[in-house]
Amino acid sequence: MSKDCTIQDVFNRFYPVYAAKHMVPEAHRKAAWHIMNCKTGALGVNISVCEECGCISVHNNSCRDRCCPMCQQFAKEKWVDARREDVLDAPYFHVVFTVPEELNPVIYSNQKLLYAALYHAASGTLNELAADRKHLGAQIGFICILHSWGSAMNYHPHIHTIVLGGGLDPKGHWKDNGRNFFLPISAMSKMFRGKYLEELKTLWSTGRLEFNGTAEKYRNRYEFQELLNTCYAKEWVPYCKKPFRNAESVIKYLGKYTHRIAISNGRIKGMTDATVTFSVKDYKNRGQWKDLTLPGEEFIRRFLMHVPPKRFVRIRHYGLLSSRNKSSSIPACRNILGCKKYISRLKNLDAPAIIRLLYNQDICRCASCGGKMIPLPHDYDYVVPARIPKLQC
């Protein structure tokens, strides 16, 4: 078994066989091609030469695909750093909204519509209950992030929500419930269930849903009604974690969820000619890690299930944190609470400056002599000589 392997290695080994046997959607083909060719030179290169010693540096371009495990770190750092200016020194809560597994076949057949319905139901539930004077009577702010996977890359669509633990009432006063979450879980459960299933029924009655694979039986109105009855009978219990300690912990926590993909390279334990072994959390055993071995083609199938629809926005901001409101609402909240403003470290910096700040690496300096690296034009036809004369900027 090869133990030093990555997701790119797994795709190079098993995806061609998988694609030959299955009808692969365009979005999945594109993601697979990006993963297999990321940082290999197939997507182009950037060439620099030292003006002092003539040393050549060749950097293979990355694919920047949001499903690629090698392209998330830089984007995550920039996004999380930008959120520093929106964070308040106030309680924040992590709320997870999920749906019964009986709905999974229908959701997978209608990802764009029913993922959007998840956002509508979760945001509507939080906004409506928070505005009710029985609970808080204020406008709140929160960020929703869609995940479609479980630890074993099984299909498990759910919404992670980072909720500001307070808000502004109609008179512009700050209201919160201290370190306790301000909404009752039972009321959230019932309202979220009602809103999601109501939108699902509307989509079905207007003929906008598709039914493929194991969902095909729900074309029949009686089968679909039976599905609804089963879902209405279940408790849809949202999960709420303890509040974060401070604003800095919120900033760090966001990075764990915003740009995460179904599986990272660090969880790949090994690969044979036929199988892939990776680590998963065993939630039946207190979340202990264990190894799971799958056939290579099954690994590819599970990974591709979580490629989001084209141009689908996974990270969405609401209420006080929405793009429309935050320029006025965040300073108002900050003034009321008397908390400091966190300044973005990376704002207006170019890529070399960001890399220098985050990773203490200066890609504009020659690794051999410390001279200045000069980028060569993309159409420059070169042969590596023993030494290149000093170039002028």
Side-chain angles (χ1 to χ4, degrees):
M1 174 184 287
S2 174
K3 295 185 177 181
D4 186 18
C5 62
T6 65
I7 293 172
Q8 185 179 59
D9 297 325
V10 174
F11 266 81
N12 285 328
R13 171 67 183 84
F14 296 108
Y15 177 75
V17 179
Y18 175 85
K21 295 180 180 179
H22 301 84
M23 291 291 293
V24 183
E26 180 185 357
H28 294 188
R29 292 199 307 270
K30 184 177 180 181
W33 190 87
H34 283 161
I35 291 171
M36 290 189 291
N37 291 280
C38 185
K39 298 182 181 179
T40 64
L43 297 167
V45 298
N46 290 304
I47 305 171
S48 300
V49 59
C50 177
E51 65 176 0
E52 296 294 338
C53 70
C55 180
I56 294 286
S57 173
V58 179
H59 173 75
N60 294 330
N61 290 341
S62 59
C63 65
R64 299 186 181 182
D65 195 296
R66 55 179 168 172
C67 296
C68 177
M70 296 182 287
C71 293
Q72 302 308 303
Q73 186 65 26
F74 196 69
K76 183 196 78 172
E77 293 288 355
K78 290 179 66 177
W79 188 90
V80 171
D81 182 75
R83 302 285 76 75
R84 296 173 68 89
E85 297 188 350
D86 305 335
V87 170
L88 302 171
D89 278 317
Y92 282 79
F93 298 87
H94 180 189
V95 182
V96 182
F97 291 93
T98 190
V99 298
E101 63 181 7
E102 287 85 355
L103 288 174
N104 288 355
V106 180
I107 296 174
Y108 189 73
S109 295
N110 302 272
Q111 293 179 43
K112 204 161 191 176
L113 287 172
L114 296 185
Y115 287 165
L118 274 174
Y119 288 98
H120 300 161
S123 62
T125 296
L126 290 172
N127 281 327
E128 191 171 327
L129 288 177
D132 192 332
R133 284 184 290 181
K134 292 189 299 183
H135 304 303
L136 189 66
Q139 182 187 26
I140 60 173
F142 51 95
I143 301 172
C144 290
I145 306 141
L146 173 72
H147 285 180
S148 60
W149 56 83
S151 180
M153 292 197 297
N154 53 303
Y155 193 64
H156 176 53
H158 55 285
I159 293 279
H160 290 274
T161 311
I162 309 299
V163 185
L164 178 61
L168 296 176
D169 67 13
K171 295 182 179 180
H173 300 146
W174 176 263
K175 296 189 69 175
D176 62 36
N177 198 22
R179 304 294 291 180
N180 297 318
F181 191 53
F182 50 84
L183 298 180
I185 297 299
S186 59
M188 289 173 59
S189 171
K190 293 176 182 178
M191 184 171 288
F192 175 66
R193 179 182 60 192
K195 286 183 178 295
Y196 191 80
L197 291 180
E198 186 62 33
E199 185 161 351
L200 180 63
K201 288 190 291 184
T202 300
L203 291 170
W204 191 90
S205 63
T206 55
R208 298 177 63 191
L209 294 180
E210 296 180 3
F211 300 95
N212 304 311
T214 56
E216 191 165 356
K217 64 180 180 180
Y218 298 119
R219 295 179 187 274
N220 182 290
R221 61 179 299 181
Y222 299 106
E223 291 284 356
F224 186 77
Q225 185 60 51
E226 184 64 29
L227 173 66
L228 292 177
N229 293 341
T230 300
C231 292
Y232 272 118
K234 287 197 165 189
E235 291 289 335
W236 295 27
V237 183
Y239 174 66
C240 182
K241 292 188 176 182
K242 294 180 180 179
F244 302 99
R245 293 190 302 273
N246 50 46
E248 285 289 350
S249 64
V250 176
I251 295 169
K252 293 178 181 178
Y253 195 80
L254 282 172
K256 294 182 179 180
Y257 285 93
T258 54
H259 293 75
R260 181 179 286 183
I261 62 172
I263 187 171
S264 63
N265 281 328
R267 288 174 55 195
I268 304 295
K269 298 301 183 182
M271 176 178 67
T272 68
D273 289 340
T275 64
V276 182
T277 300
F278 60 102
S279 58
V280 300
K281 271 189 177 181
D282 184 0
Y283 291 103
K284 295 181 180 179
N285 188 23
R286 296 177 296 177
Q288 296 294 315
W289 288 96
K290 67 177 185 179
D291 288 350
L292 174 65
T293 300
L294 293 177
E297 293 178 42
E298 173 63 12
F299 181 96
I300 297 295
R301 186 192 72 83
R302 291 195 187 190
F303 187 98
L304 293 178
M305 277 199 304
H306 309 298
V307 174
K310 185 177 181 180
R311 296 192 181 93
F312 189 82
V313 180
R314 290 180 55 243
I315 306 172
R316 306 188 185 188
H317 302 71
Y318 296 89
L320 301 179
L321 300 180
S322 67
S323 299
R324 179 187 302 175
N325 296 329
K326 69 179 181 180
S327 60
S328 57
S329 61
I330 295 300
C333 293
R334 192 177 288 121
N335 289 336
I336 294 171
L337 296 172
C339 56
K340 66 178 181 179
K341 178 179 180 179
Y342 292 83
I343 305 299
S344 168
R345 298 181 301 158
L346 310 181
K347 192 174 184 179
N348 300 324
L349 296 181
D350 58 12
I354 293 174
I355 293 172
R356 187 162 52 246
L357 180 63
L358 293 178
Y359 309 114
N360 197 28
Q361 295 180 7
D362 192 347
I363 62 174
C364 295
R365 292 292 170 187
C366 176
S368 298
C369 71
K372 185 178 180 181
M373 300 296 292
I374 306 295
L376 295 180
H378 289 286
D379 58 352
Y380 184 80
D381 186 15
Y382 74 95
V383 177
V384 179
R387 187 183 189 281
I388 294 180
K390 182 175 180 180
L391 303 178
Q392 298 298 323
C393 297

